[in-house]
Amino acid sequence: MQVAIDHAARHRQHVAVLFLDLDRFKHINDTLGHPIGDKLLKQVSQRLLANVRRTDTVSRRGGDEFVVLLSEVERLEVVTELAESLITILAAPYRIDQHELHLTVSIGISVYPEDADDPENLIKDADIAMYHAKESGRNNFRFFTADMNRKAQERLFLEDSLRRALDAGELSLLYQPQINLRTRTIVGAEALLRWYHPRQGFIPPGRFIPVAEDCGLIMAIGEWVLMEACRQAQAWREAGLPAIRMAVNFSPIQFRQQRVVGSIRHALDATGLAPELLELELTERVVMRNAESAAGRLRKLKDLGVRLAIDDFGTGYSSLSYLKQFPVDNLKIDQHFVRDIRTDPNDAAIASAIISMGHSLRLGIIAEGVEDQDALRFLAEQHCDDVQGNFLSKPVTGEQLAGMLRGDGAG
Ligand code: C2E
Ligand code: MG
Ligand code: MG
């Protein structure tokens, strides 16, 4: 690479680095065995070699990652054309023993001197671009951009700070009341995670939770949230306040882990909270993907005696027949439908359809994101059970919520 860069510098040319990663190669290894995987890798490298110029270099970095170095590039269109043709060429079926295998590839591209001027950073940039190609659905290529670099750095920064945040006590929970429309009392609260970074200030969960999910930290964070929410709920009980359910958001990653049942039981045992006061919120997408295995997992959670809610309902693809079989207690209408209820007749229609369908399946309905009186009135007319939203109360501290439950005006 260094030779190619020096040469390009003298002749005012470009050098391109193509970082290739085979899509779902692990699946082939896992299902057909490593000897087949090895043969496939050999065939991939033969196809790569047969389709680049003699002056280019093909290398394998390990696993299913290949790097192709294009030297003496005059026009960048050549790079695009090559990336396109490699994608097509690698997609043709592979014959290995008695198998016919199909494969796609994701390619990230960096260019000297535009993106970087040393081998190490060119590879790093191409790797970042490859990650974006994967993210946008695999089987395609992406050129590195400065914006990708910014995102990658932010990710690293968040991951790094998040590792410390838990121990440093930077995480906290706020609780947003859920109000029953019939009794007009608080019947529940949703625990919402807050992170105040010592220098950056408030970082919203929408920004750091995906990072925590990616790097595995979500397990430790999720366990902390669970424990803290149960502790708070039990503290309200012990202060003699009315029993309300505590809703805790559950990441798909947590839901997939075996040990999740154990950690919920542990949180309940350690705090003494009655299981029926804990409600786990799972998003529709998580539950409906692999609905068969999800049903078994939901059953195990339900056997603990806790309540289950489907969050952001209406945004995924729900199978109504599964919904009927799942041991779910509540549906939460996604706030996008609630927000525009009075201006968008379609959203109003969807919200009222969810309410009546949920009721026929004997499910409770919670509307979240209630922002004004009109939405509240509409939901009451449609016999929605519970409501949650800034119009009623923003998320508040545990102490403030206790004040609301006492009705002493502290909240
Ligand atoms: P979610 O579970 O759908 O939570 C509801 C979000 O809507 C919260 O945002 C809440 O503050 C916001 N909200 C409530 N009422 C209104 C309203 O009237 N108007 C508007 N515009 N927004 C309202 P937040 O706290 O930023 O949380 C965002 C998402 O982050 C949550 O969506 C949830 O998916 C996730 N999250 C939060 N805490 C946790 C956690 O402890 N664990 C996990 N895994 N995810 C969490
Ligand atoms: Mg939620
Ligand atoms: Mg929601």
Side-chain angles (χ1 to χ4, degrees):
M1 283 184 74
Q2 193 59 59
V3 171
I5 289 170
D6 292 345
H7 188 272
R10 278 196 303 276
H11 297 87
R12 301 189 176 280
Q13 293 166 325
H14 308 270
V15 175
V17 173
L18 276 63
F19 199 112
L20 289 81
D21 189 291
L22 308 183
D23 299 327
R24 303 198 170 90
F25 177 71
K26 186 175 176 303
H27 179 70
I28 291 174
N29 256 343
D30 289 349
T31 52
L32 300 174
H34 287 254
I36 302 275
D38 287 351
K39 286 183 186 168
L40 183 59
L41 288 174
K42 284 186 188 161
Q43 290 200 15
V44 167
S45 43
Q46 281 156 9
R47 287 188 194 182
L48 289 175
L49 282 172
N51 288 283
V52 298
R53 300 166 306 177
R54 281 224 345 265
T55 47
D56 298 330
T57 307
V58 174
S59 66
R60 173 169 170 250
R61 273 177 66 83
D64 58 351
E65 294 177 349
F66 294 86
V67 171
V68 177
L69 174 71
L70 306 185
S71 48
E72 300 176 34
V73 175
E74 305 272 357
R75 298 177 307 117
L76 286 179
E77 297 85 78
V78 175
V79 182
T80 306
E81 285 158 21
L82 183 75
E84 277 167 354
S85 77
L86 288 182
I87 284 173
T88 314
I89 288 156
L90 294 179
Y94 297 79
R95 272 212 168 279
I96 292 164
D97 303 343
Q98 73 279 27
H99 304 282
E100 185 182 292
L101 301 179
H102 295 262
L103 198 68
T104 58
V105 64
S106 301
I107 306 180
I109 306 169
S110 64
V111 179
Y112 166 87
E114 284 77 357
D115 301 325
D117 54 13
D118 62 290
E120 200 186 326
N121 280 307
L122 278 172
I123 296 219
K124 186 191 89 220
D125 292 350
D127 190 3
I128 291 172
M130 186 278 291
Y131 179 82
H132 282 260
K134 289 254 185 219
E135 289 263 283
S136 55
R138 302 187 166 89
N139 194 25
N140 59 20
F141 68 93
R142 284 281 181 281
F143 276 90
F144 175 77
T145 64
D147 189 50
M148 287 179 185
N149 200 30
R150 200 185 44 73
K151 285 198 183 119
Q153 297 208 323
E154 167 168 300
R155 252 192 136 70
L156 272 180
F157 166 79
L158 285 179
E159 191 179 320
D160 228 43
S161 329
L162 206 47
R163 277 185 205 288
R164 281 190 293 265
L166 242 186
D167 296 328
E170 293 167 21
L171 299 181
S172 59
L173 292 182
L174 290 183
Y175 305 90
Q176 189 170 36
Q178 300 176 332
I179 289 139
N180 184 274
L181 277 173
R182 206 168 34 77
T183 62
R184 310 247 152 187
T185 56
I186 298 176
V187 290
E190 178 176 12
L192 293 164
L193 188 55
R194 294 294 176 258
W195 179 18
Y196 295 93
H197 188 276
R199 284 191 314 281
Q200 302 262 316
F202 174 66
I203 302 177
R207 237 176 94 201
F208 70 81
I209 284 175
V211 177
E213 289 178 336
D214 254 21
C215 69
L217 270 174
I218 193 67
M219 291 306 293
I221 292 176
E223 275 171 23
W224 179 83
V225 169
L226 196 59
M227 190 62 90
E228 179 60 16
C230 290
R231 191 200 56 72
Q232 178 63 77
Q234 182 62 12
W236 289 331
R237 291 299 296 134
E238 283 166 10
L241 298 169
I244 63 168
R245 61 173 187 255
M246 173 65 85
V248 174
N249 290 287
F250 233 54
S251 152
I253 315 279
Q254 289 174 280
F255 183 58
R256 264 184 247 134
Q257 303 280 328
Q258 290 296 333
R259 73 171 205 246
V260 81
V261 176
S263 62
I264 295 169
R265 189 180 296 123
H266 174 65
L268 291 170
D269 289 347
T271 58
L273 184 70
E276 65 273 16
L277 291 184
L278 179 63
E279 178 160 283
L280 303 176
E281 291 192 3
L282 292 147
T283 63
E284 185 182 20
R285 280 165 223 274
V286 179
V287 184
M288 290 300 163
R289 189 179 306 150
N290 302 322
E292 299 280 351
S293 62
R297 212 116 16 101
L298 289 174
R299 180 46 63 201
K300 274 197 196 132
L301 294 180
K302 194 65 205 167
D303 286 344
L304 291 169
V306 301
R307 304 168 54 87
L308 299 176
I310 299 191
D311 204 353
D312 305 340
F313 188 78
T315 55
Y317 309 90
S318 266
S319 153
L320 299 182
S321 60
Y322 278 121
L323 198 56
K324 191 181 64 183
Q325 294 165 29
F326 287 163
V328 172
D329 302 278
N330 280 329
L331 294 184
K332 296 190 78 175
I333 307 176
D334 189 72
Q335 45 180 298
H336 291 100
F337 302 120
V338 177
R339 191 176 305 151
D340 300 327
I341 256 179
R342 77 209 150 89
T343 50
D344 186 336
N346 290 330
D347 284 350
I350 290 171
S352 63
I354 293 177
I355 294 170
S356 48
M357 180 211 60
H359 282 164
S360 342
L361 294 173
R362 292 197 184 73
L363 300 172
I365 310 290
I366 306 170
E368 67 179 335
V370 177
E371 286 184 344
D372 52 49
Q373 181 71 56
D374 291 343
L376 190 61
R377 192 174 304 127
F378 177 86
L379 291 161
E381 280 163 15
Q382 302 295 315
H383 305 292
C384 183
D385 300 285
D386 302 340
V387 283
Q388 173 186 346
N390 292 346
F391 179 64
L392 300 142
S393 165
K394 289 199 154 86
V396 297
T397 63
E399 225 168 293
Q400 287 170 317
L401 201 114
M404 293 180 183
L405 287 173
R406 274 195 301 268
D408 64 10

